[in-house]
Short mmCIF file of all heavy atoms in Angstrom, two decimals:
data_model
loop_
_atom_site.label_atom_id
_atom_site.label_comp_id
_atom_site.label_asym_id
_atom_site.label_seq_id
_atom_site.Cartn_x
_atom_site.Cartn_y
_atom_site.Cartn_z
N GLN A 242 13.56 83.72 -87.82
CA GLN A 242 14.77 82.98 -88.13
C GLN A 242 15.72 82.99 -86.94
O GLN A 242 15.92 84.00 -86.30
CB GLN A 242 15.48 83.60 -89.35
CG GLN A 242 14.66 83.54 -90.62
CD GLN A 242 14.41 82.13 -91.08
OE1 GLN A 242 15.22 81.26 -90.87
NE2 GLN A 242 13.27 81.90 -91.71
N LEU A 243 16.32 81.83 -86.66
CA LEU A 243 17.34 81.68 -85.63
C LEU A 243 18.56 81.03 -86.27
O LEU A 243 18.47 80.46 -87.36
CB LEU A 243 16.82 80.80 -84.48
CG LEU A 243 15.71 81.42 -83.64
CD1 LEU A 243 15.19 80.40 -82.66
CD2 LEU A 243 16.21 82.65 -82.89
N PRO A 244 19.72 81.08 -85.62
CA PRO A 244 20.93 80.53 -86.21
C PRO A 244 20.79 79.07 -86.64
O PRO A 244 21.29 78.68 -87.66
CB PRO A 244 21.96 80.68 -85.09
CG PRO A 244 21.50 81.86 -84.31
CD PRO A 244 20.00 81.78 -84.36
N GLN A 245 20.09 78.24 -85.85
CA GLN A 245 20.02 76.82 -86.14
C GLN A 245 18.64 76.37 -86.59
O GLN A 245 18.47 75.24 -87.02
CB GLN A 245 20.43 76.01 -84.91
CG GLN A 245 21.90 76.11 -84.58
CD GLN A 245 22.23 75.27 -83.36
OE1 GLN A 245 21.84 75.60 -82.26
NE2 GLN A 245 22.94 74.18 -83.57
N CYS A 246 17.66 77.20 -86.46
CA CYS A 246 16.32 76.74 -86.79
C CYS A 246 15.43 77.91 -87.07
O CYS A 246 15.79 79.06 -86.88
CB CYS A 246 15.72 75.92 -85.64
SG CYS A 246 15.19 76.95 -84.27
N SER A 247 14.24 77.64 -87.56
CA SER A 247 13.23 78.67 -87.69
C SER A 247 12.07 78.29 -86.81
O SER A 247 11.71 77.13 -86.72
CB SER A 247 12.76 78.79 -89.15
OG SER A 247 12.20 77.58 -89.58
N ILE A 248 11.49 79.27 -86.14
CA ILE A 248 10.32 79.02 -85.29
C ILE A 248 9.10 79.46 -86.07
O ILE A 248 9.01 80.60 -86.50
CB ILE A 248 10.43 79.78 -83.97
CG1 ILE A 248 11.56 79.19 -83.14
CG2 ILE A 248 9.13 79.71 -83.20
CD1 ILE A 248 11.74 79.85 -81.80
N GLN A 249 8.17 78.57 -86.25
CA GLN A 249 6.98 78.88 -87.01
C GLN A 249 5.79 78.86 -86.07
O GLN A 249 5.42 77.83 -85.55
CB GLN A 249 6.79 77.86 -88.13
CG GLN A 249 7.95 77.87 -89.13
CD GLN A 249 7.77 76.84 -90.22
OE1 GLN A 249 6.91 75.98 -90.11
NE2 GLN A 249 8.56 76.93 -91.25
N SER A 263 7.10 74.33 -95.09
CA SER A 263 7.30 72.92 -95.40
C SER A 263 6.47 72.04 -94.50
O SER A 263 5.99 71.00 -94.90
CB SER A 263 8.78 72.57 -95.29
OG SER A 263 9.29 73.00 -94.04
N LEU A 264 6.30 72.42 -93.23
CA LEU A 264 5.52 71.65 -92.28
C LEU A 264 4.69 72.62 -91.44
O LEU A 264 5.08 73.75 -91.21
CB LEU A 264 6.41 70.82 -91.36
CG LEU A 264 7.11 69.60 -91.94
CD1 LEU A 264 8.00 68.95 -90.90
CD2 LEU A 264 6.10 68.60 -92.47
N ILE A 269 2.13 67.85 -88.25
CA ILE A 269 2.60 67.22 -87.01
C ILE A 269 1.92 67.90 -85.83
O ILE A 269 2.54 68.71 -85.13
CB ILE A 269 4.14 67.28 -86.89
CG1 ILE A 269 4.68 68.65 -87.31
CG2 ILE A 269 4.80 66.19 -87.69
CD1 ILE A 269 6.19 68.77 -87.13
N GLY A 360 15.27 76.66 -79.92
CA GLY A 360 15.73 76.38 -81.27
C GLY A 360 16.90 75.43 -81.29
O GLY A 360 16.95 74.49 -82.10
N ALA A 363 15.63 71.94 -80.26
CA ALA A 363 14.76 71.32 -81.26
C ALA A 363 15.54 70.55 -82.30
O ALA A 363 15.07 69.54 -82.82
CB ALA A 363 13.89 72.39 -81.93
N VAL A 364 16.73 71.03 -82.61
CA VAL A 364 17.58 70.32 -83.57
C VAL A 364 17.95 68.94 -83.04
O VAL A 364 17.88 67.93 -83.74
CB VAL A 364 18.84 71.16 -83.88
CG1 VAL A 364 19.82 70.36 -84.75
CG2 VAL A 364 18.47 72.47 -84.55
N ARG A 365 18.33 68.90 -81.76
CA ARG A 365 18.70 67.62 -81.14
C ARG A 365 17.48 66.71 -81.00
O ARG A 365 17.55 65.50 -81.27
CB ARG A 365 19.32 67.87 -79.77
CG ARG A 365 19.92 66.64 -79.12
CD ARG A 365 20.45 66.95 -77.73
NE ARG A 365 21.55 67.89 -77.75
CZ ARG A 365 22.83 67.55 -77.89
NH1 ARG A 365 23.15 66.28 -78.05
NH2 ARG A 365 23.77 68.47 -77.88
N ALA A 367 14.75 66.64 -82.78
CA ALA A 367 14.24 66.17 -84.07
C ALA A 367 14.96 64.91 -84.54
O ALA A 367 14.41 64.12 -85.32
CB ALA A 367 14.37 67.27 -85.12
N GLU A 368 16.19 64.70 -84.09
CA GLU A 368 16.92 63.48 -84.45
C GLU A 368 16.17 62.23 -83.98
O GLU A 368 16.28 61.16 -84.59
CB GLU A 368 18.32 63.49 -83.83
CG GLU A 368 19.26 64.54 -84.43
CD GLU A 368 19.80 64.11 -85.78
OE1 GLU A 368 19.51 62.98 -86.22
OE2 GLU A 368 20.50 64.93 -86.41
N VAL A 426 8.45 74.61 -83.15
CA VAL A 426 9.86 74.96 -83.35
C VAL A 426 10.41 73.99 -84.39
O VAL A 426 10.60 72.81 -84.11
CB VAL A 426 10.66 74.87 -82.04
CG1 VAL A 426 12.09 75.35 -82.27
CG2 VAL A 426 9.99 75.71 -80.96
N LEU A 427 10.65 74.50 -85.58
CA LEU A 427 10.96 73.64 -86.72
C LEU A 427 12.40 73.82 -87.19
O LEU A 427 12.79 74.90 -87.63
CB LEU A 427 10.00 73.97 -87.88
CG LEU A 427 10.05 73.08 -89.11
CD1 LEU A 427 9.64 71.66 -88.75
CD2 LEU A 427 9.14 73.65 -90.19
N PRO A 428 13.24 72.78 -87.11
CA PRO A 428 14.61 72.88 -87.65
C PRO A 428 14.58 73.19 -89.14
O PRO A 428 13.68 72.75 -89.86
CB PRO A 428 15.19 71.49 -87.38
CG PRO A 428 14.36 70.93 -86.27
CD PRO A 428 12.98 71.48 -86.49
N LYS A 429 15.56 73.92 -89.61
CA LYS A 429 15.62 74.27 -91.03
C LYS A 429 16.06 73.09 -91.89
O LYS A 429 15.73 73.03 -93.08
CB LYS A 429 16.58 75.45 -91.22
CG LYS A 429 16.11 76.73 -90.56
CD LYS A 429 17.18 77.80 -90.53
CE LYS A 429 17.55 78.28 -91.90
NZ LYS A 429 18.52 79.39 -91.84
N ASN A 430 16.79 72.16 -91.30
CA ASN A 430 17.27 71.00 -92.04
C ASN A 430 16.10 70.14 -92.49
O ASN A 430 15.29 69.68 -91.68
CB ASN A 430 18.22 70.20 -91.13
CG ASN A 430 18.83 69.01 -91.86
OD1 ASN A 430 18.17 68.01 -92.10
ND2 ASN A 430 20.11 69.14 -92.20
N LEU A 431 16.02 69.87 -93.80
CA LEU A 431 14.88 69.14 -94.35
C LEU A 431 14.86 67.68 -93.89
O LEU A 431 13.79 67.09 -93.75
CB LEU A 431 14.90 69.22 -95.87
CG LEU A 431 14.68 70.62 -96.47
CD1 LEU A 431 14.71 70.55 -97.99
CD2 LEU A 431 13.36 71.21 -95.99
N GLU A 432 16.02 67.09 -93.68
CA GLU A 432 16.06 65.70 -93.20
C GLU A 432 15.48 65.60 -91.78
O GLU A 432 14.77 64.65 -91.46
CB GLU A 432 17.49 65.17 -93.22
CG GLU A 432 18.05 64.99 -94.62
CD GLU A 432 19.44 64.41 -94.60
OE1 GLU A 432 19.97 64.13 -93.51
OE2 GLU A 432 20.01 64.21 -95.70
N LEU A 433 15.78 66.61 -90.96
CA LEU A 433 15.22 66.62 -89.62
C LEU A 433 13.71 66.86 -89.66
O LEU A 433 12.96 66.29 -88.87
CB LEU A 433 15.90 67.70 -88.77
CG LEU A 433 17.37 67.44 -88.42
CD1 LEU A 433 17.91 68.59 -87.57
CD2 LEU A 433 17.53 66.12 -87.68
N GLN A 434 13.28 67.69 -90.59
CA GLN A 434 11.84 67.91 -90.74
C GLN A 434 11.13 66.62 -91.12
O GLN A 434 10.02 66.34 -90.65
CB GLN A 434 11.58 68.99 -91.80
CG GLN A 434 11.99 70.38 -91.38
CD GLN A 434 11.61 71.43 -92.39
OE1 GLN A 434 10.71 71.22 -93.21
NE2 GLN A 434 12.26 72.58 -92.35
N GLU A 435 11.76 65.82 -91.97
CA GLU A 435 11.16 64.55 -92.36
C GLU A 435 11.09 63.60 -91.18
O GLU A 435 10.13 62.85 -91.03
CB GLU A 435 11.96 63.93 -93.50
CG GLU A 435 11.39 62.61 -94.01
CD GLU A 435 9.95 62.73 -94.51
OE1 GLU A 435 9.57 63.84 -94.95
OE2 GLU A 435 9.22 61.73 -94.45
N LYS A 436 12.08 63.64 -90.31
CA LYS A 436 12.05 62.80 -89.11
C LYS A 436 10.90 63.22 -88.20
O LYS A 436 10.25 62.38 -87.57
CB LYS A 436 13.38 62.90 -88.36
CG LYS A 436 14.52 62.17 -89.04
CD LYS A 436 15.78 62.18 -88.19
CE LYS A 436 16.90 61.39 -88.87
NZ LYS A 436 18.13 61.34 -88.05
N LEU A 437 10.64 64.52 -88.14
CA LEU A 437 9.50 64.99 -87.36
C LEU A 437 8.19 64.51 -87.96
O LEU A 437 7.25 64.14 -87.26
CB LEU A 437 9.51 66.51 -87.27
CG LEU A 437 10.57 67.16 -86.38
CD1 LEU A 437 10.45 68.68 -86.43
CD2 LEU A 437 10.44 66.68 -84.94
N ARG A 438 8.13 64.55 -89.29
CA ARG A 438 6.91 64.09 -89.95
C ARG A 438 6.65 62.61 -89.68
O ARG A 438 5.53 62.18 -89.46
CB ARG A 438 7.02 64.32 -91.47
CG ARG A 438 5.71 64.09 -92.22
CD ARG A 438 5.97 64.00 -93.71
NE ARG A 438 6.59 65.19 -94.24
CZ ARG A 438 5.92 66.27 -94.66
NH1 ARG A 438 4.61 66.26 -94.60
NH2 ARG A 438 6.55 67.31 -95.14
#
Side-chain angles (χ1 to χ4, degrees):
Q242 297 295 328
L243 291 173
Q245 290 181 289
C246 75
S247 61
I248 292 181
Q249 299 179 347
S263 52
L264 288 177
I269 43 177
V364 173
R365 188 183 296 272
E368 291 284 355
V426 185
L427 187 63
K429 295 169 66 176
N430 184 285
L431 295 181
E432 292 183 1
L433 291 180
Q434 290 185 22
E435 182 58 27
K436 287 185 177 182
L437 287 179
R438 190 194 301 273

